[in-house]
């Protein structure tokens, strides 16, 4: 079968009931690129609602069966958790011989990395509002024994409204706590550099809820300082100019959350 181009979608991309993607959605503009998938905007034909489409296509450089399983896991997980107001909402899942697509709530402000690119370091009040919502989402996940494992600016979406609302997204590396140690593939993931806790940035990652907490701290640091996390003697480095305006309370919070020992992150 020839490679698909642009926003062309194959006719066999269907949902669990056999409904065709092309009958239900129109793919519009590409919003972002990932390692193995692209994010597009799309419009639901019946309602006119704008949504996001996380779309993967079969490529020789990726194990297609593994990619499909990852998409299926993410969609199944989102089906359980996406009713939380700070977790991106699931709209549907489609699978074909050449493509897999997860349909999601569209958050119009893009992600926090794009927010930094537009505005530079974010005001402390706005950062607290974003981080509070991410924390709420993570508490919800942890209560259900789910680890996100890849909290970072690119995986936090923000709205453009007067009230800064945030949505945690991209659950492709997420897992249930009870799965840890049962799959080499799961345990091989070491997080994203600049956000990953010390205990998972090693050859034998020790994943726990504390690792998600560390990543929230790294997210907060990055939003306040418009720079990747920098440590000095095991504690956050606040010498850059953007941190001059950050309160002592926030700096103390970051110092506690970014503690090197997992047991100290509460």
């Amino acid at each position: 079968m020839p490679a698909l181009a642009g926003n062309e979608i194959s006719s066999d991309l269907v949902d669990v009931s056999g409904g065709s993607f092309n009958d239900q959605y129109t793919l519009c503009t590409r919003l972002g690129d990932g390692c193995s998938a692209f994010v597009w905007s799309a419009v639901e034909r019946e309602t006119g609602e704008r949504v996001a489409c996380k779309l993967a296509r079969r490529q020789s450089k990726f194990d297609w069966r593994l990619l499909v399983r990852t998409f299926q896991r993410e969609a199944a997980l989102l089906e359980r958790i996406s009713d939380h107001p700070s977790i991106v909402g699931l709209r549907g899942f489609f699978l074909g011989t050449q493509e897999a697509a997860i349909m999601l709530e569209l958050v119009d402000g893009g992600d926090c990395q794009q927010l930094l690119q537009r505005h530079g370091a974010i005001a402390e009040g706005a950062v607290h509002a974003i981080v509070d919502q991410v924390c709420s989402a993570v508490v919800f996940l942890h209560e259900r024994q789910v680890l996100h494992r890849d909290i970072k600016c690119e995986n936090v979406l923000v709205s453009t409204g007067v009230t800064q609302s945030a949505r945690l997204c991209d659950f492709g590396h997420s897992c249930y706590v009870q799965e840890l140690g049962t799959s080499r593939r799961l345990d091989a993931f070491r997080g994203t550099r600049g956000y990953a806790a010390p205990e998972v940035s090693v050859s034998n990652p020790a994943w726990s809820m504390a690792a998600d907490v560390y990543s929230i701290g790294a997210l907060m640091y990055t939003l306040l300082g418009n720079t990747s996390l920098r440590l000095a003697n095991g504690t956050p480095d606040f010498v850059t100019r953007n941190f001059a305006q950050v309160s002592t309370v926030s700096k103390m919070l970051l110092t506690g959350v970014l503690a090197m020992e997992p047991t100290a992150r509460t």
Side-chain angles (χ1 to χ4, degrees):
M1 182 179 292
L4 296 163
N7 62 352
E8 180 185 3
I9 296 294
S10 57
S11 59
D12 73 346
L13 186 63
V14 296
D15 60 20
V16 292
S17 64
S20 166
F21 179 98
N22 287 319
D23 288 344
Q24 297 177 54
Y25 292 99
T26 300
L27 208 60
C28 300
T29 306
R30 200 159 89 184
L31 302 176
D33 301 350
C35 176
S36 57
F38 303 102
V39 178
W40 293 73
S41 65
V43 174
E44 187 176 13
R45 292 178 182 272
E46 184 176 346
T47 65
E49 180 187 12
R50 296 177 66 236
V51 297
C53 173
K54 182 177 179 180
L55 178 69
R57 284 180 168 148
R58 186 191 288 266
Q59 301 178 58
S60 58
K61 62 181 179 179
F62 294 117
D63 182 331
W64 177 242
R65 288 178 297 179
L66 176 59
L67 190 56
V68 167
R69 286 198 301 269
T70 300
F71 264 54
Q72 289 171 327
R73 280 175 53 87
E74 182 174 3
L77 179 61
L78 279 168
E79 192 168 12
R80 284 195 60 205
I81 63 172
S82 66
D83 56 343
H84 189 278
S86 295
I87 294 176
V88 68
L90 178 69
R91 296 291 185 266
F93 175 67
F94 293 81
L95 181 62
T97 57
Q98 300 295 310
E99 299 152 314
I102 301 176
M103 309 306 294
L104 301 161
E105 169 189 15
L106 180 65
V107 183
D108 57 8
D111 62 47
C112 281
Q113 187 60 45
Q114 294 168 329
L115 187 67
L116 286 172
Q117 291 168 354
R118 292 195 299 266
H119 301 291
I122 309 303
E124 189 170 354
V127 171
H128 279 286
I130 292 170
V131 171
D132 283 350
Q133 292 170 78
V134 173
C135 285
S136 175
V138 171
V139 168
F140 181 82
L141 293 175
H142 288 180
E143 287 174 346
R144 286 151 183 79
Q145 297 296 297
V146 174
L147 305 182
H148 186 280
R149 304 208 305 168
D150 201 19
I151 298 167
K152 58 185 179 181
C153 283
E154 292 89 337
N155 288 342
V156 178
L157 305 173
V158 290
S159 67
T160 57
V162 175
T163 302
Q164 195 92 69
S165 64
R167 303 281 194 282
L168 189 59
C169 69
D170 197 343
F171 289 80
H173 291 294
S174 299
C175 71
Y176 291 97
V177 172
Q178 61 266 31
E179 292 177 312
L180 296 174
T182 62
S183 166
R184 287 186 179 181
R185 182 181 63 81
L186 272 175
D187 292 346
F189 181 61
R190 302 180 191 179
T192 297
R193 185 176 180 180
Y195 296 92
E199 69 271 15
V200 302
S201 304
V202 293
S203 57
N204 187 25
W207 285 102
S208 69
M209 294 177 183
D212 277 350
V213 174
Y214 185 98
S215 296
I216 294 173
L219 169 73
M220 181 176 173
Y221 181 102
T222 303
L223 292 173
L224 288 169
N226 193 23
T227 183
S228 297
L229 175 61
R230 296 168 55 182
L231 299 173
N233 299 318
T235 60
D237 185 346
F238 298 122
V239 299
T240 58
R241 182 178 62 184
N242 288 328
F243 282 106
Q245 306 301 317
V246 174
S247 70
T248 301
V249 172
S250 287
K251 291 176 181 176
M252 291 176 63
L253 175 62
L254 283 170
T255 300
V257 171
L258 294 168
M260 299 298 286
E261 291 298 323
T263 55
R265 298 177 209 140
T266 58

